[in-house]
Amino acid sequence: MKLSGTIDFQPKLLSALRHYSLNRFKDDLIAGIVVGIVALPLAIAFGIASGVSPTIGLITAIIGGFLVSAFGGNSVQIGGPTGAFIVIVYSIIQNFGLQGLAIATLMAGLILILLGLFHLGTVIKFIPYPIVVGFTSGIALTIFSTQINDFLGLGLKDVPSEFLSKWGVFISNFDKISWPTLAVGAISLLIIILTPKISKKLPGSLIAIIIVTAAVYLLKGTFPEFAVETIGDRFGSLPTDIPQPRGFELSMGTINQLLPSAFTIAVLCAIESLLSATVADGVTGSRTNSNTELIGQGIANIVVPFFGGIPVTGAIARTMTNITNGGRTPVAGIIHTVVLLLIFLFLMPLINLVPMSCLAAVLIIVSYNMSGWRTVVGIFKAPKSDVSVLVVTFLLTVIFDLTIAIEIGLLLAIILFLRRVTENTQIKVYSEQLDVAEGTDATHHEVLDVEKGVSVYEIDGPFFFGVATKFDEMMRSTLGDKPVVRILRMRKVPFIDATAVHNLEILIKSSQNEGIHIVLSGVNPQVRQVLLKSGIDSLVGEDHICDHITKAVKMANRIAGSYNALHHHSAH
């Protein structure tokens, strides 16, 4: 983990503009307009579901989306608020207020920039798939739960945020269902589901909002008793000017309190944006610069909170819409933010008329698409360890909260990784004869005779804390006849860590106390460096650290030979 001299920051916008043409602009313009229209209902819905106003959702999409396209490492990534953040944002606002959310988002932005600077973009991609699926399906179920109140028109205030108690409240209030509201929600759902069957390019959620809003507006005019709650009813008339940047107070106490939430936002943002970028690369054949992407996401999340915005990340659905409509450069992403800005400045009064149950229908479809239930079913055929990781992260996300789920999920990922590496590191024991080329592709086989009293232990794989203990146990269990020399063959050890060095030190000392020589063989330059730094050479003698097994066996045979001869002589 090093800055390694170079900062890997090359926004795709700069390289795209070098060879930009009018034809390319036409494609980007069409894609940008379509994505802007698709993003509109989502930005409003995500804003409301996160516990802020629709205006904030739009401002986040405009400013955050612009910065992600301008500074990101993927040509087609569309940034904005996404469903993944609804749960965490809602709980931060509940516990720390809007000021707390702004500070957490700002800190998350700084963490993302650090991840990019330390070249950790590629590492994030290695988070095990079952964990990502566990998070997203857990978040999907939580989003679905948050929409039941609006979809059924229960009119409940102060619904508990915990999953189980929330459903308890819903079930006990099902008699309060508002049938007009449920009808509006159900019709919206139908329109969203059926639109793609007519044309894949039509944005179902926007068409549902236009048709249903117009119908509700007309019905309200004709039948005053037709009561369906709209955005305007809940939020009053929405402001139509971009808010002034504002600061916030930082104190060490606030930072400590909000650090876990900031870490959760940063990890979620990194996972989701790089996942989206990987999917986009698969379709377009381009290559994302992961570190630049993280820095771009970081910049967006640092700026957005100053305008009251919520966290921003790459959005898979909007990115795919961009690709299918011909967008190939970050210019399309910038055009999508301009479209949203124009709607924000000139059409905001119309947004007041949108029924809340229609937005709930939009989010129910988002949660269905997020759930990835087919993937979940597929993973259930995988090894038990993967299934258990998926189930644990899913349950933690749903029943507790995302911060705990992400922390324990990452911990599980590390434990599973260590277990797999430990299982893959083999330790073999040889005596009497040893084939030098065994375990390699060499066709020339040289067999070495090993003197009586020489034991050879081969470690095949990384020698780190997980393996060190395993090796220790093996040495104790294979004592049998006490050898004169132990050769530790390390040709297949790519690295060694502090715990392994410590265990090696104990093994050398305890062997020497029993009068057993230790010879290290096949030590690669990198491992040798670590051994020399930690003083292993002065323990065994530098000539006992050999770079090839032939030298090690020759030395061991000489020591064992003279020992055997001496004992043979004294026996007579």
Side-chain angles (χ1 to χ4, degrees):
M1 205 170 85
K2 58 189 190 299
L3 267 163
S4 70
T6 57
I7 290 176
D8 191 8
F9 183 55
Q10 298 143 357
K12 288 280 173 159
L13 181 63
L14 299 179
S15 54
L17 291 177
R18 278 190 210 120
H19 311 288
Y20 206 61
S21 64
L22 188 61
N23 280 343
R24 187 41 53 96
F25 177 71
K26 282 177 191 162
D27 291 344
D28 284 341
L29 181 67
I30 293 164
I33 292 170
V34 173
V35 177
I37 290 167
V38 169
L40 173 70
L42 295 175
I44 293 168
F46 292 145
I48 293 173
S50 302
V52 294
S53 74
T55 315
I56 296 295
L58 267 177
I59 283 165
T60 305
I62 294 164
I63 298 172
F66 175 81
L67 294 169
V68 166
S69 293
F71 296 108
N74 181 291
S75 307
V76 291
Q77 181 88 281
I78 301 291
T82 70
F85 289 117
I86 290 176
V87 183
I88 182 79
V89 169
Y90 190 81
S91 76
I92 294 172
I93 293 173
Q94 293 249 312
N95 297 322
F96 305 102
L98 288 168
Q99 175 100 342
L101 175 66
I103 295 167
T105 309
L106 174 75
M107 282 157 57
L110 291 170
I111 294 170
L112 283 164
I113 286 181
L114 288 174
L115 290 176
L117 291 178
F118 284 110
H119 295 203
L120 290 175
T122 39
V123 178
I124 299 282
K125 287 185 180 172
F126 293 121
I127 290 178
Y129 195 51
I131 289 180
V132 177
V133 175
F135 290 150
T136 43
S137 49
I139 293 167
L141 183 57
T142 315
I143 294 172
F144 173 73
S145 308
T146 58
Q147 298 313 304
I148 297 299
N149 189 15
D150 284 341
F151 189 74
L152 302 177
L154 300 176
L156 300 171
K157 301 274 179 276
D158 302 321
V159 179
S161 55
E162 293 77 31
F163 180 79
L164 297 173
S165 30
K166 180 182 287 164
W167 274 98
V169 170
F170 290 159
I171 291 164
S172 57
N173 283 285
F174 272 161
D175 55 329
K176 292 183 182 160
I177 289 177
S178 154
W179 295 107
T181 305
L182 176 56
V184 166
I187 291 165
S188 307
L189 263 186
L190 268 176
I191 295 172
I192 299 170
I193 294 165
L194 296 175
T195 306
K197 296 192 177 2
I198 299 163
S199 162
K200 286 266 187 289
K201 295 210 168 178
L202 290 174
S205 50
L206 189 78
I207 286 171
I209 285 179
I210 292 169
I211 294 173
V212 171
T213 305
V216 168
Y217 180 70
L218 293 171
L219 281 168
K220 270 191 171 174
T222 323
F223 308 105
E225 67 277 5
F226 182 79
V228 172
E229 189 185 21
T230 64
I231 291 180
D233 295 338
R234 184 171 299 181
F235 294 96
S237 65
L238 299 170
T240 55
D241 47 349
I242 297 269
Q244 292 298 310
R246 58 167 192 266
F248 23 77
E249 292 165 28
L250 281 175
S251 70
M252 227 30 237
T254 329
I255 289 172
N256 284 340
Q257 269 186 318
L258 287 162
L259 196 57
S261 304
F263 176 72
T264 305
I265 293 172
V267 170
L268 254 185
C269 179
I271 292 173
E272 195 168 353
S273 58
L274 294 181
L275 198 65
S276 171
T278 310
V279 172
D281 286 351
V283 181
T284 60
S286 61
R287 282 189 58 198
T288 297
N289 179 326
S290 306
N291 299 315
T292 302
E293 184 58 30
L294 288 181
I295 295 172
Q297 299 286 346
I299 292 169
N301 281 295
I302 285 173
V303 175
V304 158
F306 287 99
F307 295 90
I310 57 179
V312 177
T313 184
I316 297 181
R318 277 160 272 173
T319 301
M320 290 309 293
T321 306
N322 184 24
I323 296 168
T324 49
N325 285 282
R328 286 295 177 273
T329 78
V331 175
I334 290 171
I335 291 168
H336 121 272
T337 64
V338 174
V339 171
L340 287 174
L341 179 63
L342 293 173
I343 293 170
F344 177 75
L345 295 174
F346 302 110
L347 298 177
M348 215 53 185
L350 293 176
I351 288 168
N352 288 330
L353 305 174
V354 177
M356 292 301 297
S357 60
C358 182
L359 280 185
V362 170
L363 283 170
I364 285 171
I365 293 291
V366 167
S367 63
Y368 174 79
N369 293 335
M370 259 181 93
S371 71
W373 62 270
R374 288 182 184 85
T375 313
V376 174
V377 172
I379 288 179
F380 270 89
K381 295 171 190 158
K384 280 198 178 68
S385 59
D386 287 343
V387 176
S388 54
V389 167
L390 184 138
V391 171
V392 168
T393 39
F394 174 78
L395 290 175
L396 287 171
T397 306
V398 172
I399 295 169
F400 295 98
D401 72 21
L402 208 52
T403 309
I404 294 172
I406 282 197
E407 286 163 0
I408 293 179
L410 291 177
L411 195 64
L412 274 175
I414 293 164
I415 291 167
L416 280 177
F417 171 73
L418 294 179
R419 200 184 104 194
R420 288 202 176 133
V421 176
T422 310
E423 283 168 359
N424 285 340
T425 301
Q426 304 289 324
I427 298 162
K428 300 185 192 117
V429 187
Y430 301 93
S431 57
E432 294 179 8
Q433 279 203 326
L434 176 71
D435 183 349
V436 174
E438 188 193 321
T440 68
D441 296 335
T443 47
H444 173 66
H445 289 268
E446 180 189 348
V447 178
L448 300 175
D449 287 321
V450 179
E451 280 276 348
K452 184 175 175 294
V454 176
S455 292
V456 182
Y457 298 85
E458 174 156 21
I459 304 165
D460 179 357
F463 192 17
F464 69 109
F465 60 91
V467 178
T469 330
K470 184 174 165 181
F471 181 64
D472 223 30
E473 287 163 6
M474 170 121 186
M475 292 299 265
R476 291 185 209 291
S477 63
T478 55
L479 287 175
D481 280 352
K482 199 171 76 171
V484 182
V485 185
R486 280 180 179 148
I487 298 177
L488 301 192
R489 194 175 188 194
M490 298 170 74
R491 62 181 173 153
K492 292 182 181 172
V493 176
F495 70 84
I496 185 167
D497 77 348
T499 313
V501 169
H502 176 68
N503 282 32
L504 194 57
E505 217 170 283
I506 292 171
L507 171 76
I508 292 167
K509 284 177 181 167
S510 63
S511 298
Q512 287 172 345
N513 288 342
E514 295 176 52
I516 301 170
H517 291 259
I518 293 282
V519 178
L520 305 179
S521 143
V523 180
N524 77 30
Q526 198 182 346
V527 173
R528 189 188 184 92
Q529 244 358 78
V530 178
L531 296 180
L532 296 182
K533 269 187 185 163
S534 45
I536 294 286
D537 54 327
S538 54
L539 263 181
V540 291
E542 199 170 333
D543 59 335
H544 283 50
I545 302 179
C546 308
D547 58 2
H548 197 272
I549 188 68
T550 322
K551 293 178 189 171
V553 169
K554 198 181 274 181
M555 175 182 282
N557 282 349
R558 197 172 63 241
I559 297 167
S562 50
Y563 175 88
N564 293 340
L566 189 71
H567 275 254
H568 182 71
H569 183 71
S570 59
H572 289 287

